[in-house]
Amino acid sequence: MRVVISEFVSLDGVVQAPGGPGEDTDGGFSHGGWTHPFFDPEVVGGAFDEALGKAEALLFGRRTWQTMAAAWPERAGDPFADRMNALPKYVVTDTLRDGELTWNNTTRIPGPDVVARVRALREAPGGDLLVMGSSVLARTLLGEGLVDELRLMVMPVLLGGGKTIFPDDGGLRTLRLVSAVTSGAGVQVCTYRVVHDES
């Protein structure tokens, strides 16, 4: 499987709380919902449709999983929601128990096991393992060299601080731009392949 990370990101690299004001206020973040003025169904929505269409499973951190699990099951009947609900899902958590995983087809991965489990999934046959949101998880996977593709919806806004997916460990990581589309609102939808060291 290929590990694909899909994120809304500001020009200054912030991915925190793109969906709404109460989504994630950690660190006093007050710009929740900052993507709304820039979202359009054709370019930005189309990028998510394409990513989900290639996915064979979804991988989430606990907070993102809880947000998604509270929203998507009740949207049954919409093709995007039906696909989200039907796909196998993995959630990385040490606090949720199996009985709390009420969103169908969800499997829990304990935090200490995530690197080994994702490495095993990557070595298994299949399509994409799609990560959305989940900033801590995405940063861990990038840091461990377990990401194959980044799909970034770069919004023309500066947020002045907040959570990011990019490791700050001083490591050099090379990406190859394979596609870029610009929406009418100035969103750059960029797909990057991670260049893995073959040596």
Side-chain angles (χ1 to χ4, degrees), residues 1-174:
M1 299 184 83
R2 295 185 328 141
V3 176
V4 176
I5 294 177
S6 182
E7 299 281 352
F8 294 114
V9 60
S10 68
L11 277 176
D12 51 349
V14 176
V15 299
Q16 188 169 353
E23 185 179 355
D24 181 358
T25 58
D26 285 0
F29 190 77
S30 60
H31 304 302
W34 51 273
T35 62
H36 294 179
F38 309 107
F39 189 90
D40 72 281
E42 292 78 29
V43 176
V44 178
F48 271 105
D49 283 342
E50 183 182 352
L52 194 67
K54 293 179 178 177
E56 287 195 14
L58 306 173
L59 175 64
F60 299 104
R62 188 225 6 117
R63 187 196 303 256
T64 302
W65 181 89
Q66 287 180 305
T67 299
M68 299 284 204
W72 289 106
E74 65 189 37
R75 298 180 190 178
D78 169 83
F80 188 91
D82 288 347
R83 180 135 177 86
M84 287 277 287
N85 291 325
L87 282 170
K89 290 165 275 289
Y90 298 92
V91 56
V92 180
T93 179
D94 291 323
T95 55
L96 295 176
R97 298 290 133 223
D98 289 339
E100 297 174 274
L101 305 182
T102 54
W103 195 11
N104 63 312
N105 298 329
T106 296
T107 301
R108 185 173 65 88
I109 298 177
D113 298 345
V114 65
V115 170
R117 287 290 300 277
V118 172
R119 189 168 282 126
L121 287 167
R122 250 179 112 228
E123 292 170 359
D128 292 349
L129 178 62
L130 181 62
V131 179
M132 294 180 282
S134 310
S135 60
V136 173
L137 172 62
R139 189 166 49 254
T140 297
L141 297 177
L142 280 165
E144 293 288 338
L146 294 175
V147 176
D148 299 288
E149 185 173 287
L150 285 170
R151 282 179 173 253
L152 303 179
M153 277 130 299
V154 184
M155 306 277 172
V157 62
L158 299 173
L159 297 174
K163 294 178 181 177
T164 178
I165 63 166
F166 304 115
D168 59 359
D169 56 8
L172 174 68
R173 296 169 178 88
T174 303

